[in-house]
């Protein structure tokens, strides 16, 4: 019984305790503090940033990204006089909820979240609620290397970015199979269905609302249309692992099943995941990435700054640094992360362009990610997941 | 100072802590469920919650798990108590071993062994029954039965001491058979602690979160899982939904707690 109270308490006492101490400032007005003021020149921002500690809330479940931040980003930030404090979270929603709790408590400045790595629903929800610092991202010096016409840069799950977040990473949804067992993996969704019918129980995908499972469902829906896509998944279900009665709960579980040889196909929204898994020894060395149907679901993930952040200047300088050709090139290097850059390399000076070398290649990374399928609108993701649950899981 | 006042003073620190921590949290939850971020107080969240079929599916699922886990644990605990009466301390200790093991550890071990891709799954090339991820929540019920049966058995064993043995002897001398002794001597002794313990177990399972998260099915979810999913589904409005959903379990748990206190009181008076 104590635990039931705790369940209620754990989720909500944060809101209350902050509320108790911050209620005095509620009367001072609720306008975003910096939105109205003219932006100072970036040199002034850099000056203000010196000595600040930027608390960067980010998904902490990827060892390679953590290592990149700790070993590449942190030393580079130190040169600009900024200390990076990585706050690892299991779900990006946690960071947004923290900001919501602060705002609920009337805390309009001095907030505990300086920078968040996010996209999609998390950004859209915060934008709707007016949580983010406005009109800063395109003023970063390194933003001049971005393609301002590219819809993946100017919109985030179809929500206009409006200078409230700076792009950081590009993701593409790829599949993987063991070339020793499956030299010619299914070429498209219909071939995947045929494969599952011929080999019942050898294919599965994580159940939405898991991040990867939800992306797989969106990939199917993007390729086939909403109703036809769900009908396709329903047809596929009885031929899945355990006849579709149960789905893996996460990408990690799916990867385990693939690594054990219990499933024939793995998938991830990280275009370089095969390389990482082979290096870790969890996938066979003969594993190769592939695309279903010459296209892949792609998105860009961004960095946003809460309007009430305590270290807004430091956060902007760090976001600019993360967008710099040097750090973007390090991230795109297959030996570091192998994540495609968000910069338009054609706009870079020749010396910087050379850093990026040839597009990622080698057996574990696809050089051609196919035609990009764009993400659905952020607000449609949760209803899609609910529909999948109703029609595919229960049906 | 009267005895009653001294007793009240003695529990004051505990009462203060509970009312500030839990009472405060509950008040915060009520506020979150009524006042949306930057909006005015309304009952919209509650209306939407009660109109959501997924919420009622979670309520049904939670109730089913709670009833099954409680009834099975209680039945097994009675059988275990009868079997263990008069046995050595060592045997009793062995039975009590699962009590201090955290629920999370039991659930994680179950996943490691029994989940799809788990050790048993790989060794045997597929399990005949799905315990982990079973749609009816079999795995969740089993984890709670494993944890709560020894807990209840301990409560019952504490009630069945030497005094009970003496009363049974007296009954035997008066000509009562074994079944009659259980019915008229043992049962009235263990009934109080059994009902009290079962109410505690039921209130505990009502808030089930980490065990179903690990070993439960993709759907349906328990009420606590529903609340968690509400916050990730809609970051802003989801908080209110989560607060309202958790408040319903909190109220149910409090009703059970009041029931448990009543049972304990009548036990004392007897």
């Amino acid at each position: 019984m104590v635990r039931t109270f705790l369940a209620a308490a754990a989720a909500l006492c944060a809101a209350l305790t902050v509320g108790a101490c911050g209620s005095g400032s509620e009367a001072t007005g609720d306008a975003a503090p910096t939105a109205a003021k003219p932006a100072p020149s970036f040199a002034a921002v850099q000056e203000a940033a010196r000595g600040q500690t930027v608390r960067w809330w980010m998904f902490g479940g990827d060892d390679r990204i953590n290592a990149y931040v700790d070993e590449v980003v942190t030393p580079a930030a130190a040169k600009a006089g900024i200390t990076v404090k990585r706050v690892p979270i299991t779900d990006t929603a946690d960071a947004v909820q923290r900001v919501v709790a602060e705002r609920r408590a009337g805390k309009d400045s001095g907030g505990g979240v300086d920078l968040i790595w996010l996209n999609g629903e998390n950004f859209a929800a915060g934008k709707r609620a007016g949580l983010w610092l406005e009109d800063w991202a395109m003023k970063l010096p390194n933003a001049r290397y971005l393609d301002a016409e590219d819809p993946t840069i100017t919109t985030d799950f179809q929500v206009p970015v409006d200078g409230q977040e700076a792009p950081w990473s590009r993701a593409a949804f790829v599949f993987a199979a063991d070339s020793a067992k499956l030299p010619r993996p299914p070429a498209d969704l219909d071939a995947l269905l045929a494969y599952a019918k011929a080999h019942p129980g050898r294919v599965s995908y994580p159940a939405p609302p898991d991040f990867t499972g939800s992306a797989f469902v969106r990939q199917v829906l993007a390729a086939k249309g909403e109703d036809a896509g769900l009908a396709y998944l329903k047809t596929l279900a009885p031929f899945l692992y355990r006849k579709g009665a149960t789905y893996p709960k996460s990408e990690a579980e799916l990867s385990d099943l693939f690594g054990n040889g219990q499933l024939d196909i793995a998938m991830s929204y990280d275009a370089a995941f095969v390389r990482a898994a082979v290096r870790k020894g969890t996938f066979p060395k003969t594993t190769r990435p592939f695309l279903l149907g010459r296209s892949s679901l792609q998105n860009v993930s961004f960095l946003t700054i809460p309007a009430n952040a305590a270290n807004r200047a430091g956060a902007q300088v760090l976001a600019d640094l993360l967008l710099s050709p040097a750090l973007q090139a390090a991230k795109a290097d297959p030996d570091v992360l192998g994540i495609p850059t968000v910069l338009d390399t054609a706009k870079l000076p020749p010396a910087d362009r050379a850093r990026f070398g040839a597009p990622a290649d080698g057996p574990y990374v696809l050089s051609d990610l196919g035609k990009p399928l764009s993400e659905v609108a952020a607000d449609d993701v949760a209803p899609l997941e609910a529909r999948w649950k109703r029609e595919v899981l229960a049906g | 100072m009267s005895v009653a006042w001294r007793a009240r003073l003695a529990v004051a620190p505990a009462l203060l802590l509970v009312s500030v921590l839990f009472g405060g949290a509950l008040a915060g939850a009520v506020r979150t469920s009524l006042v949306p971020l930057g909006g005015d107080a309304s009952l919209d969240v509650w209306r939407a919650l009660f109109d959501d079929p997924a919420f009622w599916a979670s309520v049904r699922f939670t109730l089913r798990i709670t009833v099954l886990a409680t009834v099975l644990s209680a039945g097994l605990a009675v059988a275990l108590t009868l079997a263990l009466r008069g046995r050595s301390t060592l045997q009793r200790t062995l039975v009590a071993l699962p009590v201090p093991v955290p629920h999370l550890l039991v659930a994680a071990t179950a996943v490691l062994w029994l989940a799809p891709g788990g050790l048993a799954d790989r060794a045997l090339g597929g399990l005949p029954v799905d315990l982990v991820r079973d749609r009816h929540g079999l795995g969740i019920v089993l984890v709670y039965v494993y944890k709560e049966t020894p807990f209840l058995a301990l409560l019952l064993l504490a009630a069945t001491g030497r005094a009970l043995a003496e009363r049974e002897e007296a009954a035997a001398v008066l000509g009562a058979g074994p079944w009659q002794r259980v019915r008229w001597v043992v049962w009235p002794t263990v009934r109080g602690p059994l009902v009290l313990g079962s109410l505690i177990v039921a209130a505990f399972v009502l808030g089930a979160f980490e065990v179903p998260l690990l070993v439960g099915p993709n759907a349906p979810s328990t009420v606590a899982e529903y609340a968690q999913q509400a916050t990730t589904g809609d970051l802003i409005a989801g908080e209110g939904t989560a607060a309202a959903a958790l408040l319903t379990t909190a109220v149910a748990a409090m009703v059970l707690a009041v029931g448990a206190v009543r049972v304990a009181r009548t036990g004392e008076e007897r």
Side-chain angles (χ1 to χ4, degrees):
Chain A
M1 148 178 55
V2 169
R3 218 264 314 253
T4 311
F5 286 131
L6 279 180
L12 303 151
C13 70
L16 179 91
T17 40
V18 185
C21 31
S23 52
S25 58
E26 221 154 1
T28 56
D30 51 347
T34 55
K37 289 179 200 160
S41 77
F42 204 71
V45 175
Q46 280 170 318
E47 200 43 53
R50 254 175 216 292
Q52 288 191 344
T53 298
V54 177
R55 286 153 301 176
W56 181 7
W57 290 52
M58 59 186 291
F59 173 68
D62 190 323
D63 297 340
R64 296 174 311 139
I65 292 179
N66 294 343
Y68 168 76
V69 171
D70 293 343
E71 289 158 24
V72 181
V73 177
T74 304
K79 280 184 197 152
I82 295 169
T83 311
V84 178
K85 189 167 169 237
R86 188 163 57 76
V87 181
I89 44 181
T90 51
D91 189 330
T92 305
D94 296 349
V96 183
Q97 275 159 14
R98 167 68 185 262
V99 180
V100 170
E102 286 176 355
R103 290 299 283 264
R104 214 179 254 287
K107 193 169 185 167
D108 286 339
S109 61
V113 184
D114 295 320
L115 193 66
I116 311 174
W117 173 31
L118 49 36
N119 69 0
E121 300 155 89
N122 290 314
F123 172 72
K127 189 184 179 201
R128 220 171 23 243
L131 298 183
W132 311 135
L133 189 64
E134 291 173 16
D135 194 29
W136 59 274
M138 289 320 270
K139 291 180 179 156
L140 299 178
N142 284 315
R144 65 179 181 273
Y145 302 130
L146 293 169
D147 180 357
E149 306 293 309
D150 182 352
T152 64
I153 300 287
T154 56
T155 60
D156 179 351
F157 280 61
Q158 300 187 20
V159 174
V161 166
D162 288 343
Q164 296 187 21
E165 55 177 0
W168 184 46
S169 250
R170 200 178 278 280
F173 201 81
V174 296
F175 298 81
D178 185 350
S179 61
K181 284 196 225 158
L182 202 63
R184 290 186 56 210
D188 54 28
L189 286 169
D190 295 325
L192 180 72
L193 178 61
Y195 182 83
K197 279 183 176 167
H199 306 85
R202 303 291 301 172
V203 174
S204 192
Y205 58 94
D210 169 73
F211 175 79
T212 307
S214 175
F216 173 74
V217 170
R218 294 198 301 273
Q219 158 116 11
V220 172
L221 269 47
K224 288 198 170 277
E226 185 165 332
D227 292 329
L230 280 162
Y232 170 88
L233 291 171
K234 214 170 162 178
T235 318
L236 181 66
F239 306 105
L240 293 175
Y241 180 69
R242 301 272 163 105
K243 300 190 172 69
T246 171
Y247 291 75
K249 275 209 163 169
S250 61
E251 182 187 322
E253 204 174 301
L254 181 86
S255 293
D256 275 351
L257 287 166
F258 175 78
N260 297 338
Q262 288 176 287
L263 291 180
D264 291 338
I265 290 169
M267 61 187 77
S268 176
Y269 219 139
D270 172 4
F273 86 115
V274 175
R275 192 187 172 86
V278 168
R279 206 176 265 182
K280 252 172 133 179
T282 50
F283 284 6
K285 283 199 174 64
T286 41
T287 308
R288 298 289 179 268
F290 67 96
L291 300 179
L292 277 181
R294 283 202 207 109
S295 58
S296 61
L297 196 66
Q298 292 188 15
N299 76 39
V300 167
S301 52
F302 297 78
L303 300 161
T304 194
I305 303 173
N308 70 346
N311 302 294
R312 293 192 296 266
Q316 288 179 56
V317 173
L318 182 58
D320 183 55
L321 198 60
L322 289 163
L323 204 50
S324 66
L327 287 191
Q328 284 281 319
K331 193 150 62 74
D333 182 350
D335 286 327
V336 182
L337 273 177
I339 294 178
T341 181
V342 291
L343 298 178
D344 180 0
T345 46
K347 287 191 167 182
L348 292 175
D352 279 331
R353 201 178 311 150
R355 292 174 194 260
F356 287 88
D361 56 7
Y364 301 129
V365 188
L366 292 169
S367 53
D368 177 13
L369 292 169
K371 184 170 82 79
L373 295 171
S374 47
E375 281 286 6
V376 300
D379 286 346
D380 292 342
V381 174
L384 272 183
E385 289 169 355
R387 209 177 150 192
W388 177 86
K389 228 178 211 179
R390 259 192 332 267
E391 295 179 20
V392 180
L393 185 63
Chain B
M1 201 187 286
S2 73
V3 179
W5 268 105
R6 216 173 290 167
R8 265 170 225 169
L9 209 62
V11 297
L15 210 61
L16 189 73
L17 197 72
V18 168
S19 35
V20 169
L21 283 182
F22 299 125
L26 285 172
V30 171
R31 177 177 170 235
T32 308
S33 73
L34 293 176
V35 188
L37 186 65
D40 294 322
S42 76
L43 285 171
D44 292 353
V45 165
W46 288 90
R47 247 177 246 127
L49 181 74
F50 291 146
D51 281 344
D52 184 2
F55 171 69
W56 292 110
S58 295
V59 169
R60 279 194 298 276
F61 184 62
T62 310
L63 285 178
R64 195 166 68 212
I65 288 171
T66 306
V67 170
L68 275 177
T70 310
V71 169
L72 284 176
S73 308
L76 282 172
V78 170
L80 206 60
T81 309
L82 292 178
L84 278 174
R85 275 201 305 149
R87 295 296 173 89
S88 70
T89 316
L90 178 70
Q91 281 165 313
R92 288 165 171 233
T93 313
L94 286 178
V95 167
L97 270 184
V99 172
V101 180
H103 284 80
L104 197 59
L105 188 63
V106 178
T109 311
V111 168
L112 188 65
W113 278 92
L114 304 172
L119 293 173
D121 193 28
R122 269 188 269 172
L124 303 173
L127 291 169
V129 240
D130 281 323
L131 292 175
V132 170
R133 306 292 137 76
D134 168 60
R135 271 195 187 200
H136 306 289
L138 194 58
I140 309 173
V141 171
L142 285 181
V143 168
Y144 281 115
V145 167
Y146 174 79
K147 276 288 299 167
E148 310 312 341
T149 301
F151 165 71
L152 289 175
L154 274 189
L155 281 183
L156 299 188
L157 281 169
T160 57
R162 178 174 293 273
L164 177 65
E166 282 169 5
R167 284 208 297 279
E168 276 195 86
E169 264 172 43
V173 169
L174 292 172
W179 175 242
Q180 284 174 313
R181 291 206 298 274
V182 168
R183 173 74 186 81
W184 298 109
V185 183
V186 179
W187 176 243
T189 312
V190 298
R191 192 179 51 199
L194 183 68
V195 172
L196 177 66
S198 299
L199 287 174
I200 294 175
V201 168
F204 188 77
V205 180
L206 267 184
F209 177 64
E210 77 280 33
V211 173
L213 200 63
L214 277 171
V215 303
N218 306 116
S221 50
T222 63
V223 174
E225 281 182 294
Y226 172 89
Q228 190 256 345
Q229 284 169 11
T231 59
T232 53
D234 185 335
L235 290 162
I236 310 294
E239 280 206 335
T241 314
L246 289 177
L247 279 171
T248 57
T249 23
V251 167
M254 277 188 270
V255 169
L256 287 175
V258 169
V261 170
R262 290 208 161 180
V263 170
R265 275 214 185 125
T266 47
E268 274 166 22
E269 282 160 14
R270 203 180 289 138

